[in-house]
Amino acid sequence: MLGVKATESKGFVWLLGAGPGAADLITVRGLKLLQAAEAVVYDELANDELLKNCPAGCELHAVGKRAGQHSATQGEINTLLVSLARAGKRVVRLKGGDPLIFGRAGEEIEALRTAGLPFEIVPGVTAATASAAVACLPLTHRDFSSAVVFVTGHQCAANTSALDWGALAKLRATLCFYMGVRRLPEIAHNLLAHGMPADLPLALICEATLPTQRIVITTLGAAEKISADQISQPALVVIGEVVRLADFAAQVPEFVGRDR
Ligand code: SAH
């Protein structure tokens, strides 16, 4: 079986990227691991459709993590992974997108290492690349942007931000904010205060790759006034010159809104 070595068939954890939303954006290795799993511990962001691939009798543990409503703490998840693997099970820890990008995989790795348990990380398509794809928006471009930064919006509150906004504003990079919707006015405010132009284009890519996907193109200046209840989630915020190249009308026939 691809991805499962004979010596690893028992008491093993795979930290597996489910991809951004559409169930067929998981990797082939990921799919095969789900088909052989004895226990799956999954997040809300992982598409439920994927669970249909698990064999009969596979234990399913929902540890949903949506903004503001954690149904299990990270400590509880770590303990669950360790106990399932100690019981000799093939455990899949299914995470939205890629496990190593804002997925708290670092803490799970540490727990598994401390417990002396074997594990493997299987990458997934992360929200930034999936969102860029559906908006036909190149994250890098020889003329406009030679760097991409993945930033968490969680730490963007104006008074407590640990981010170096001056450095971000100066980079001339494409900035991708994960979990940035609730902090969008503060993100825009901080970047504007550090010299980014108000007419810099900004894309909000909501529920990328799902049937409910929606793409809105606006500007950094206008984003200061956008409130979270106007945006369906999960959504990614992309800021930079490359957003001018976004062209999704032809590619995404179901899109609901295009605000320029
Ligand atoms: N590990 C995940 C990210 C988890 S953080 C990954 O690699 O994609 C959760 C954030 O990811 C959300 O707040 C949102 O900003 C982004 N996100 C996840 N799925 C998304 C989707 N389908 N469309 C747009 N953004 C998404």
Side-chain angles (χ1 to χ4, degrees):
M1 184 193 336
L2 191 68
V4 186
K5 295 171 199 151
T7 52
E8 296 171 351
S9 60
K10 281 286 169 187
F12 199 95
V13 178
W14 287 269
L15 301 177
L16 173 57
D24 58 354
L25 280 173
I26 194 170
T27 60
V28 174
R29 182 182 297 187
L31 188 60
K32 292 194 172 178
L33 288 168
L34 277 182
Q35 287 165 344
E38 291 171 310
V40 175
V41 179
Y42 65 99
D43 285 348
E44 292 254 354
L45 277 178
N47 191 331
D48 284 351
E49 280 283 303
L50 287 170
L51 302 176
K52 293 184 185 156
N53 296 293
C54 302
C58 174
E59 284 177 40
L60 299 178
H61 299 269
V63 290
K65 281 190 182 180
R66 281 234 189 253
Q69 30 172 291
H70 288 202
S71 56
T73 65
Q74 189 59 51
E76 286 163 350
I77 296 171
N78 296 348
T79 305
L80 178 62
L81 292 176
V82 167
S83 67
L84 289 169
R86 280 210 175 121
K89 294 188 190 301
R90 289 192 297 269
V91 184
V92 167
R93 172 70 178 105
L94 189 65
K95 290 168 172 289
D98 184 278
L100 299 181
I101 298 178
F102 303 128
R104 301 193 67 172
E107 291 149 82
E108 292 170 13
I109 289 167
E110 199 184 320
L112 294 168
R113 278 209 181 113
T114 305
L117 290 163
F119 64 90
E120 183 186 334
I121 300 161
V122 182
V125 176
T126 191
T129 51
S131 298
V134 299
C136 195
L137 182 169
L139 290 174
T140 64
H141 190 288
R142 286 172 72 94
D143 298 333
F144 303 114
S145 175
S146 46
V148 185
V149 187
F150 293 168
V151 192
T152 168
H154 259 174
Q155 282 143 24
C156 290
N159 48 351
T160 58
S161 178
L163 283 173
D164 184 340
W165 292 97
L168 280 182
K170 257 194 309 224
L171 265 180
R172 296 178 156 276
T174 306
L175 306 181
C176 299
F177 284 90
Y178 287 68
M179 298 167 279
V181 169
R182 281 200 288 171
R183 297 280 183 209
L184 187 54
E186 280 140 307
I187 291 169
H189 175 80
N190 286 329
L191 293 173
L192 291 165
H194 286 85
M196 280 183 125
D199 65 353
L200 194 65
L202 178 149
L204 287 164
I205 304 162
C206 313
E207 302 181 84
T209 77
L210 292 167
T212 44
Q213 150 183 307
R214 179 169 188 241
I215 302 166
V216 177
I217 308 287
T218 179
T219 61
L220 190 56
E224 248 194 313
K225 296 178 199 75
I226 297 178
S227 75
D229 52 20
Q230 295 173 270
I231 305 165
S232 54
Q233 295 205 54
L236 195 89
V237 183
V238 183
I239 304 171
E241 292 293 342
V242 289
V243 173
R244 291 190 204 288
L245 305 171
D247 176 18
F248 46 84
Q251 198 189 348
V252 189
E254 313 93 321
F255 84 98
V256 192
R258 180 176 190 149
D259 307 340
R260 278 202 193 264

